[in-house]
Amino acid sequence: MITSETLKKKYIEFFLEHNHKRIANAPLIPENDPTALFISAGMHPLVPYLLGQPHPSGKRLVNVQKCLRTSDVDEVGDSFHLSFFEMLGNWSLGDYFKEESIKMSYEFLTRDKWLNIDPDKLSFTVFAGDEDSPRDMDSAKVWMELGVPEERIYYLPKEDNWWGPIGSTGPCGPDTEIFFDTGIQACSPDCQPGCNCGKYCEIWNNVFMEYNRTPDGKYELLEQKNVDTGMGVERTTAILQGKDNVYETEIFAPLVEAVKSLAGLEELEPSQVKSIRIIVEHARAATFLLAEGIVPLNTEQGYVLRRMIRKAIRHGKLLGVDDEFLSGLAEKVIETYSEDYPYLKENEETIISELKKEHKKFSNTLQKGLNRFNRMARKNKKISGKDAFLLYQSFGFPIEIIIELGEENDIPIDVDGFNAEFEKHQKVSRAGADKRFGSGLADHSEKTVRLHTATHLLNEALRKVLGDQVEQRGSNITPERLRFDFNFHRKVTKDELKQVEDLVNEQIKKAIPIEKCETTFEKAKEMGAQAVFEQRYGDKITVYSIGDFSMEVCSGPHVKNTKEIGHFRIKKEEGISAGVRRIRAVVE
Ligand code: GLY
């Protein structure tokens, strides 16, 4: 039986044999993209390189990338959709194009030495063509040359067979998608690849990124014709194991068993199957988010995390489990992934304590909120925007939970009304956070770049003033400000903040040129470079140095000289969770 670990190993081995270089699995939180909350695809950290910047590892790349798609959270519970997943990807940055890419995919999928999938179980879709780009006969022709019968090639429009950009602008293009027939009964005689009933599972897409979508919605041809592919580890593992859903694979089965035993269940109703799926999927996603220093909050990434944890807790309650159970599941997740992601183990204590804390917070209000919901539903036969907002504000119910309660009880929920109330009451609204997720590319505006270099100076200045034990826990930059999280056990005093600020401004005044070098991760560590995440793979990484003041592993971009930064000012220092502090600062 091929496990997910074997699949990942085979994929990397195959593409290394085809002259690709393995690159690092980037953090889930984008390092230099203030417009997105999470990395949602393997190509996301590669945007500058797809647009033409040379990549230090060359033109053929491969990796395993962890991704989080908030757009799929609501689908979780079906057979294959996940919010958090690992994606296998290979890229050509202006090197091979359609023919070689498709041939490599077919070889990897069907050859005995690799996945050995029966070609008769595979179907393929290609772009049907429209006013922006022609019908992709080139890809169809390659599939046919490989022996694929014409009737298993489907031509679909942009909604199905076009991928990217990540936000509203950037690299994108038509794709060809590979589907596996799970063998389950088709939902209708018209069922075909692209239908979500579970018969056809998309396992891989090859995107031919030869366009750049401009702010006015036009598609310009890029100078460089790229390939970007993505194969979902969990769903491909499932089909290789003959399962028609991801939860029966070794990735989730131990978690599913743990929940069944906690709930004392053997035979499951369909609604219980769904609850268990939501719980285990969200437990895994939450573990990874917490390991990256995200904590449950009411804004941005922290709110996505909070929503997942609370939804899982509510589904636990539906199964009759009131006691805290997510920390036990997190322990299992950490164990499963400890080899590939050693930082999970390193952050185990925080992960467990945050899950317990969030459970305590929510379980205090969950039953009371449910009682209130029932009273509102009985009385009004619907939940108004104001009532939904009350459930959110006073009982901590994310809107998803209120929507679910509405569906379960056949009670309409005024979601638009809720959103209007929310906007009114929140400075940083949930809608704002959601919009951010969906929009934009890596922001390389001048102000953001200045703040980015200032972040490196701040990181080092904190260590000089507070001690070497200080390490970065997260960073987020918008054109207006930088936000920097780090580990420290107490409030930083006014005097210390002033020293940090002065130290940063001193480096700015010294007009130090920023230097960049390419090296391996091991060498960078030997040289004493700071790095947020251990990058165990990836031939070459970039190190940015600011004189002998700072040295960090980072993919840039940065200013050329510190004098470009302007005056640095700390606006706020606060604690965001046990042992983690946050600084907000601006450059003027
Ligand atoms: N290759 C793009 C994606 O699958 O997400």
Side-chain angles (χ1 to χ4, degrees), residues 40-43 67 69 85 87-91 163-164 166 175 177 202 204-207 209 227-232:
S40 58
M43 59 72 78
C67 301
R69 290 192 176 167
F85 63 101
M87 187 191 282
L88 299 165
N90 62 281
W91 292 274
W163 211 92
I166 286 280
D175 73 353
E177 302 187 356
E202 181 198 338
W204 205 352
N205 67 14
N206 298 26
V207 189
M209 292 203 154
V227 177
D228 153 52
T229 87
M231 172 186 267

Side-chain angles (χ1 to χ4, degrees), residues 298 303 388-397 402 418 422 426:
N298 277 351
Y303 192 51
F389 190 72
L390 182 108
L391 290 169
Y392 163 79
Q393 201 175 39
S394 307
F395 301 96
F397 280 30
I402 304 170
F418 169 85
F422 199 105
Q426 297 288 309

Side-chain angles (χ1 to χ4, degrees), residues 398-461:
I399 186 67
E400 294 81 354
I401 292 189
I402 304 170
I403 294 170
E404 276 186 351
L405 286 167
E407 283 164 4
E408 285 160 19
N409 296 283
D410 213 6
I411 297 288
I413 311 287
D414 179 3
V415 178
D416 289 343
F418 169 85
N419 285 334
E421 287 296 311
F422 199 105
E423 294 276 349
K424 256 200 288 185
H425 286 80
Q426 297 288 309
K427 266 197 258 146
V428 183
S429 69
R430 185 188 81 92
D434 280 353
K435 264 185 231 131
R436 249 181 38 126
F437 170 79
S439 69
L441 282 175
D443 175 22
H444 289 184
S445 71
E446 185 214 315
K447 190 81 185 286
T448 305
V449 174
R450 284 163 53 205
L451 282 161
H452 186 203
T453 311
T455 306
H456 281 217
L457 292 173
L458 169 65
N459 189 354
E460 196 49 46

Side-chain angles (χ1 to χ4, degrees), residues 3 48 54 71 106-107 145 149 179 223 243 291 324 421 446 463 467 489 495-496 515 580 585-586:
T3 61
S71 52
Y106 198 74
E107 181 185 346
E145 271 167 33
F179 289 80
E223 266 175 40
K243 315 285 190 204
E324 196 284 318
E421 287 296 311
E446 185 214 315
R463 238 182 321 279
H489 57 285
D495 189 41
E496 286 164 334
E515 277 161 30
V580 183
V586 294

